[in-house]
Amino acid sequence: MDTNKTSQDIDHRRRHFVGTAALTVAAAQLGMIGAVDAQPATAKLPSVKPGSHTSFGPLKQIDAGLLNAGYAEAGPADGPPVLLLHGWPYDIYSFVDVTPLLASAGYRVIVPYLRGYGTTRFRSSETFRNGQPSAVALDIVALMDALKIQKATLAAFDWGARTANIIAALWPERCKAMVSVSGYLIGSQEDGMMPLPPKAEFEWWYQFYFSTERGRAGYDKHRRDFTKLIWQIASPKWDFDDATFDRSAKAFDNPDHVAIVIHSYRWRLGLVQGEPRYDELEKRLAQKPVISVPTITMEGDANGAPHPDPAAYAKMYSGKYSHRTIEGGIGHNLPQEAPQAFAEAVVDVTSGS
């Protein structure tokens, strides 16, 4: 899980999907970068019940920066691109119901495994297994370059939302619009080392567990039991079955998974170093850059993970912005628990940008 460290609640009413929107078709860019601003002919989405889909089409692989990235793709190749980014401890199946919804509306949907998950692998055995935020964000920029996508809508939660926030803040020319669960998640090592009230510290128990060698070994040995426990804590009202969990748990068998997760949480506490190549980016992120791209933030009404109060981060968005709280016992894994609401937010934010 990756959220800022506050846990107050706020009563925002959910905005309802406005139905079919007339969307403009833009001309395709010439040269090496493909069409990026074309809009689907219609924004009308079919209804979907969570858990309706259990698989993607055949996964693809592409060399992208430091990685050979694994990803699912759906929708027309010339549709407006949307990248859906997962978090920890989740995977691309968080978007298994969202993806066909957006594909049916004419979007080109890309759902990559982050570094350390699923079929994504480092291209060199010598590359440091780094989990710091800017490194993960640059992975996605490299993936966009490899896929010849100049600009995309980014929609994400947890580590994925933090990654989307970073790209939108540092490289807004690459982000058309954004959907971000739990809002503004950009932080720094200084933030991570700041002590919190005891109740808030308690919510981050796993972070302190990971700071020990016993925690690293325990996560490695019991990663499926550990991640299932996190799912249950983070989404206390989500009644997922074993098959749903097992589909995602396979992604944690990635040989780099434990190293990436442990480094990420130790780095934020200042217990380990990052890489000098990312120092300048981390300095910029520590300044809490404002995000200017059109954004919808979302929160489930039963999120059991640490998460910020939406009122605390609204000021971090200077462009067109709105927040939606999704009711009905929706927890931390909002795209999988409420795929209809998540897909509607993607359509709405792209229609208005």
Side-chain angles (χ1 to χ4, degrees):
M1 293 179 286
D2 188 21
T3 54
N4 288 340
K5 301 179 181 179
T6 57
S7 58
Q8 300 175 13
D9 293 321
I10 182 169
D11 183 20
H12 283 277
R13 295 184 61 85
R14 174 185 175 187
R15 288 177 51 205
H16 292 285
F17 180 49
V18 296
T20 304
L23 303 177
T24 306
V25 178
Q29 279 188 287
L30 300 177
M32 291 300 294
I33 303 298
V36 297
D37 288 324
Q39 295 287 1
T42 177
K44 186 176 179 60
L45 297 179
S47 297
V48 67
K49 182 179 179 181
S52 297
H53 301 86
T54 59
S55 65
F56 294 93
L59 297 185
K60 300 181 179 182
Q61 300 287 139
I62 191 169
D63 286 343
L66 299 175
L67 304 175
N68 177 257
Y71 65 100
E73 181 170 3
D78 61 350
V82 175
L83 271 68
L84 305 178
L85 308 178
H86 68 83
W88 174 83
Y90 305 94
D91 81 324
I92 64 174
Y93 281 91
S94 289
F95 304 103
V96 72
D97 288 317
V98 172
T99 296
L101 284 179
L102 294 177
S104 72
Y107 293 91
R108 180 188 180 188
V109 186
I110 308 292
V111 195
Y113 281 113
L114 300 186
R115 58 169 59 192
Y117 294 82
T119 61
T120 291
R121 297 289 188 275
F122 285 91
R123 296 171 66 186
S124 170
S125 61
E126 302 301 316
T127 303
F128 179 57
R129 274 38 178 176
N130 188 335
Q132 70 185 106
S134 56
V136 180
L138 281 173
D139 289 344
I140 301 305
V141 174
L143 176 63
M144 292 173 64
D145 289 343
L147 293 172
K148 298 181 173 57
I149 296 173
Q150 175 60 33
K151 197 170 188 177
T153 295
L154 306 178
F157 75 109
D158 199 86
W159 285 29
R162 181 189 63 188
T163 300
N165 291 176
I166 291 171
I167 295 171
L170 298 186
W171 304 287
E173 71 278 4
R174 307 302 300 269
C175 183
K176 176 180 174 62
M178 181 172 64
V179 173
S180 179
V181 176
S182 296
Y184 187 93
L185 300 178
I186 295 174
S188 66
Q189 282 187 315
E190 289 76 15
D191 293 334
M193 291 185 282
M194 184 178 298
L196 299 171
K199 184 177 184 298
E201 296 281 22
F202 177 73
E203 293 178 326
W204 289 91
W205 65 272
Y206 54 89
Q207 179 172 250
F208 303 110
Y209 181 64
F210 289 160
S211 71
T212 68
E213 180 55 25
R214 174 176 174 170
R216 187 210 63 77
Y219 185 56
D220 191 13
K221 182 177 181 180
H222 303 294
R223 68 182 81 175
R224 293 203 177 200
D225 288 340
F226 195 104
T227 51
K228 180 176 281 190
L229 175 62
I230 295 294
W231 280 32
Q232 293 165 341
I233 293 171
S235 299
K237 297 186 178 181
W238 182 30
D239 187 24
F240 60 88
D241 58 22
D242 288 342
T244 297
F245 175 76
D246 289 342
R247 278 190 290 273
S248 289
K250 294 175 183 178
F252 314 143
D253 294 333
N254 182 295
D256 301 308
H257 177 75
V258 173
I260 295 296
V261 171
I262 297 301
H263 182 266
S264 178
Y265 285 104
R266 289 182 181 180
W267 179 88
R268 71 181 62 191
L269 291 177
L271 300 175
V272 296
Q273 296 297 314
E275 292 180 89
R277 71 171 85 179
Y278 303 116
D279 286 351
E280 185 57 36
L281 293 177
E282 296 295 352
K283 288 178 183 177
R284 292 171 62 188
L285 294 173
Q287 296 173 1
K288 302 295 191 299
V290 172
I291 293 173
S292 61
V293 306
T295 299
I296 293 175
T297 58
M298 306 184 76
E299 192 60 82
D301 66 340
N303 185 359
H307 60 281
D309 179 350
Y313 55 69
K315 64 182 180 295
M316 303 308 298
Y317 297 95
S318 63
K320 186 174 181 180
Y321 171 76
S322 64
H323 176 79
R324 302 177 181 184
T325 294
I326 309 304
E327 300 176 351
I330 303 304
H332 189 62
N333 187 5
L334 192 151
Q336 196 162 1
E337 298 176 59
Q340 193 83 35
F342 190 85
E344 288 170 2
V346 173
V347 171
D348 288 353
V349 79
T350 56
S351 299
S353 61

